[in-house]
Amino acid sequence: MESGTDSAHDTQGAGITVRRALELPGLRSGLPEVLAGAERLGRTVRWVHAGEVPHIASLLKGGELLLTTGYGLGTRPAEQRAFVRTLAERGIAALVVELGPRFTRLPAALVDTARAAGLPLVQLHREVPFVTVTEEVHTEIVNGHYALLQRAEEVHRRCTQAVLGGGGVPQVLGILADFAGNPVFLETADGQLLYAAGAGPQGADPLQVWEGLRGQHKDEPPLAGSVLVDVPGGGPGSGGVRARLVLLPVRTPLATVHRMAAERAAGILAVVLMQARQEEELAARGRGDFLTDLAEGRVTAEDAPAQARVLGFRPGEGPLLPVVMRLGEALSPGGGGWVVPARAVSEELASLGVPVLLGVRPLEGRVLVLLGLRAESERTAVADRVAAALRAGVGRAGIPRPGGQPPVVVVGTAGGWPAAASGLRHAAETATAAQGLADRPWYDARRLDIDLLLWRLRDHPDLAAFVDRALGPLLEHDRRSRPPLLPTLTTYLAHAGRKAETARELHLNRQTLYNRLARIGELLGTDLDDPQTVLALSLALRARRHVP
């Protein structure tokens, strides 16, 4: 800290100022005279070192008060200038030289170089015990550090009392902002703003400060002297960070004590956030239980509106839209857990004014959503928004997915409470049946009824026999020969028998495609232009996903 402050202890760190060290009895008894750097006596002394070797700078780390009788300074002006320059480059706090047998007055080369380098240089006119000086300064440093700890602990005590009294994150941040005299922000691990407290310069809104400074510098401190402290507790992929405290020195400089207070506040915030997440996650599971009971008939359509109101869901007179996302058989959420997708959907739909009830069923790997539409015509637009929010939330939460499969989002039929019950059940089953299909933002449950029917028959031996009869020879060919022909058949049927489009997608010339289709017909003993054959093969290809 390069200032002329008269504070006894340096507020920027655990140390005392050079000025304070000169006022202690040990150095004061030596009749100190400041020859250079008088304007920098506010520098921090973090330690005291005594030595007489020429290359003593290599033994120092910076911030030391160096005591010497001058035997290591050299006899030539060039040596003396080099000695001072290396100490200044090392960043020591001050050089104190005791006059005596080596020097009766410090050489001009020494003094001039110290002035040019901005290094405080002090000569002592009387002999002093260096050990006494060391003990006195180190005692002051320790006392100063203890004083910092006491101030930080007081903030910790106030934050703890606030939380025990029912306060939460805003109260903790407010206490820290008052103590630091600067705005304080709580961000997610990826830099999204969660909370803000305190005021900016001239009472400016802290959100303006964050957007103007921190919002543009997510990976590094936006201002010199900023304090960034991690709030621990994140899940896999987060580096163990749940959130991050950011203190910006836009009103007054921040000191070491403010970092210490922020570190203690971060520990309290970790507990508060964990508790809030647990409570929010329990609530999300409770909503998931309600939606599952509704889908399975344990809650009647007559009783559902009242129970939904208790859970905070108050749709208007329009239709209800069921949506189900499936991620796997049984999932353990990481990072922000199930709370993150819930928040993503709520935030996404808030601008639309769409009421939303979101619940989770972790053991089944499902997220169930019920939305209140104003009209049936909104179905597609709202489905696009909620599906995008759900999928983005999964990514932000770091929820693991078995096999790396993308989430499947299925949108049911809109209607009243009876339709919502059956729609949730239909969408949940369809989401399971749709596992393994080509990835899409969302599926319309009404268009996957065949896949759902085949999925329900997955354990019936007749389904496996049907697939074997329809595709067996072709599958056997692909196991033994190249090129495989099943992709050609799949693409051909997907394009409803349109050969030009099939050839274009497969990057084949038309004659090669004709030869492959002829070979497929020969292997299967059937005509690929026959509608009944096309229907049977299409069903067999869909059923094959569900057959071991």
Side-chain angles (χ1 to χ4, degrees), residues 254-273:
L254 291 168
T256 298
V257 67
H258 298 130
R259 171 173 288 279
M260 295 166 67
E263 289 170 349
R264 282 153 178 76
I268 295 175
L269 287 171
V271 176
V272 172
L273 292 176

Side-chain angles (χ1 to χ4, degrees), residues 29 68 81 166 173 192 203 211 237 289 300 396 427 454-455:
S29 66
T68 181
R81 286 192 289 267
L173 294 186
Q192 302 299 313
E211 290 170 356
D289 292 341
T300 67
R396 284 166 52 188
L454 295 172
W455 175 77

Side-chain angles (χ1 to χ4, degrees), residues 361-422:
R361 296 279 289 186
L363 293 179
E364 297 156 9
R366 287 180 188 157
V367 178
L368 303 97
V369 185
L370 201 57
L371 301 145
L373 304 181
R374 289 184 290 264
E376 167 70 25
S377 59
E378 292 184 322
R379 180 177 184 270
T380 300
V382 171
D384 286 341
R385 298 286 291 272
V386 72
L390 282 168
R391 293 164 71 95
V394 168
R396 284 166 52 188
I399 297 177
R401 298 193 299 275
Q405 292 187 349
V408 173
V409 179
V410 174
V411 179
T413 304
W417 281 102
S422 59

Side-chain angles (χ1 to χ4, degrees), residues 12 144 146 240 266 341 343:
Q12 297 296 319
Y146 180 68
R343 287 178 180 162

Side-chain angles (χ1 to χ4, degrees), residues 94-105:
L95 173 61
V96 178
V97 183
E98 183 184 83
L99 300 179
R102 181 66 182 87
F103 294 112
T104 57
R105 185 78 185 176

Side-chain angles (χ1 to χ4, degrees), residues 108-167:
L110 202 70
V111 176
D112 292 343
T113 305
R115 288 173 178 166
L119 176 66
L121 175 63
V122 180
Q123 64 181 4
L124 301 178
H125 290 276
R126 292 179 58 185
E127 180 181 346
V128 300
F130 283 177
V131 65
T132 301
V133 174
T134 300
E135 289 176 348
E136 288 179 348
V137 173
H138 288 175
T139 298
E140 285 282 307
I141 292 173
V142 171
N143 289 342
H145 190 72
Y146 180 68
L148 292 181
L149 286 174
Q150 283 186 310
R151 295 177 65 196
E153 286 301 325
E154 174 61 19
V155 174
H156 182 269
R157 184 189 64 79
R158 291 175 57 200
C159 291
T160 302
Q161 286 182 337
V163 171
L164 293 177

